[in-house]
Structures are given as C-alpha cells and as structure tokens.
Amino acid sequence: MATRKGSCDWRFDAGRLCLDLVATGEGSADAPDPLEGPERLAHWLVASGAVPQGTRLTALDHNWLVLFRQLRTAVDRLLTAQLGGRGAEGALERVNSLAAGAPPAVRAVRTGNGALVRGLSTEPDCRALLATVARDAVELLTDPVALGGLRRCEGDNCRRIYLDTSRGRRRRWCSSEVCGNRERVARHRRRNADPAGRSASP
C-alpha cells in the first residue's frame, strides 16, 4: 500500500489504477473531494503511477479535473453495475470513447547510477492520461479472472471496490490495516461492553 502525507492521504491498495481513481470519490460528505484542485490531481497522477515521478504537467487545469471526475463516475457506475448485475450503457460508452485515445508514449531512461526507469517521450496531455486509466478499466472489465476477484469492502461506511487476489479469495476489507483494523477494534469494544462476554472471560 502506498500513501502520501499532506492535505489528504492517498491509498493505492485497490489493485488497479482505475480502482484507485474510483476510490478518490469515496470521501465523506463533510470532506473535500480529494481531486478538488489541479494540484491534487497532479499529485494523484504521480503518486498512483499514472505518470513517472518528475513528469511535467504544465497544461493541467480545471478542465482536466472535470474530465477525470467524469471518468471516475463512469468507471464507478460500471463496477457497481458489474457487482450488482445491472447495466450501465452510458458509462460504458464514455469509458470506451476515452480508451480509444492513445496513451502516453513510454521510454526507458537511464539514471545516474545506471538503472533504467520509466519515462515519457513527451509531456502528456489530458486525453492521453484519460486513455491510460480508461484502458485499464476496459482490461479489468473484459478479464473474467480479474472480475471474479472484484469485491466491495465490508467495512462500515466504506464503499471501496478492490481486487481480491488473496489465497482462497476470502479477503473482506479493502485494507486489513484500515477497515480490517477498525472492525477488529469495534469487535473488541463490543465484547468488552457485553456483560455476558465479560463474565465468560477467564
């Protein structure tokens, strides 16, 4: 799990880039949208691995925010429909349209110590980055094995969708350290608050 500290904490444990984008739309009603400004979108693009560290994004503006939020909504609708056995044709058209664009051209860049790292041939535009996320969503939605592991977190007040790649596919929470730990703490408190539970304890 990767996190970034700052005005918001990013988590990248959903298992796919498109799922990590959807997760940014699942804040509480009294909290700001994690993608509320161009700076935060730029932060997410780098922290999520959508673009390599140090990538210039000088053209990023409010219009990028609108388009990425629209893609986020479309992917969320498709995944929710997949989990609930419903259709979401308008959302599917949106994702397919964006996936048809060309993603950024990548290249290998040699660092000072001789290692090769991923770089981009040119500064990416919004359309290319939307295509990157949309193509990831298409690949997920058309992969029966991956879809078999699609889950919604069972944690209280959590809607996060994630891929369960655990052995036996018995993972219940988006994160054992976050929602899983909250559930364990809540269960412990309920046991301690139960008089019958206390009397049964050694």
Side-chain angles (χ1 to χ4, degrees), residues 1 9-15 19-24 26 76 83 151-155 157-163 171-175 178-179:
M1 177 179 71
D9 292 335
W10 302 105
R11 286 175 49 204
F12 302 105
D13 49 8
L19 298 181
D20 288 330
L21 176 62
V22 169
T24 67
E26 296 170 3
D76 190 13
L83 289 170
R151 303 281 187 271
R152 191 179 293 280
C153 183
E154 295 181 21
N157 304 314
C158 184
R159 294 186 61 255
R160 181 182 285 250
I161 298 173
Y162 63 92
L163 281 185
R171 179 176 162 191
R172 296 177 52 203
W173 304 294
C174 62
S175 168
V178 181
C179 288

Side-chain angles (χ1 to χ4, degrees), residues 7-106:
S7 53
C8 61
D9 292 335
W10 302 105
R11 286 175 49 204
F12 302 105
D13 49 8
R16 296 292 288 251
L17 177 62
C18 64
L19 298 181
D20 288 330
L21 176 62
V22 169
T24 67
E26 296 170 3
S28 61
D30 58 348
D33 187 324
L35 300 183
E36 71 172 355
E39 298 81 8
R40 287 192 177 182
L41 176 56
H43 183 177
W44 182 86
L45 287 167
V46 174
S48 68
V51 299
Q53 187 77 34
T55 299
R56 290 173 55 84
L57 298 169
T58 56
L60 197 159
D61 59 14
H62 184 73
N63 187 55
W64 286 44
L65 277 178
V66 172
L67 294 172
F68 268 89
R69 286 175 177 173
Q70 289 175 350
L71 175 57
R72 180 178 68 185
T73 298
V75 175
D76 190 13
R77 285 186 57 209
L78 284 170
L79 296 172
T80 298
Q82 184 67 40
L83 289 170
R86 299 185 301 275
E89 294 309 314
L92 183 59
E93 292 169 3
R94 177 71 178 168
V95 170
N96 279 336
S97 174
L98 293 174
V106 297

Side-chain angles (χ1 to χ4, degrees), residues 71-147:
L71 175 57
R72 180 178 68 185
T73 298
V75 175
D76 190 13
R77 285 186 57 209
L78 284 170
L79 296 172
T80 298
Q82 184 67 40
L83 289 170
R86 299 185 301 275
E89 294 309 314
L92 183 59
E93 292 169 3
R94 177 71 178 168
V95 170
N96 279 336
S97 174
L98 293 174
V106 297
R107 64 192 184 108
V109 180
R110 197 170 296 282
T111 63
N113 64 6
L116 292 173
V117 298
R118 183 173 65 104
L120 301 182
S121 298
T122 59
E123 181 177 341
D125 61 18
C126 184
R127 179 88 181 169
L129 295 179
L130 288 167
T132 298
V133 181
R135 286 185 177 206
D136 184 62
V138 168
E139 289 172 3
L140 171 59
L141 290 163
T142 56
D143 182 344
V145 175
L147 281 179

Side-chain angles (χ1 to χ4, degrees), residues 155-156 172-173 175-194:
D156 290 342
R172 296 177 52 203
W173 304 294
S175 168
S176 179
E177 293 80 8
V178 181
C179 288
N181 188 57
R182 287 175 187 155
E183 175 61 25
R184 288 187 288 271
V185 169
R187 194 163 51 225
H188 177 73
R189 287 175 176 168
R190 286 194 297 270
R191 277 200 307 266
N192 288 344
D194 182 0

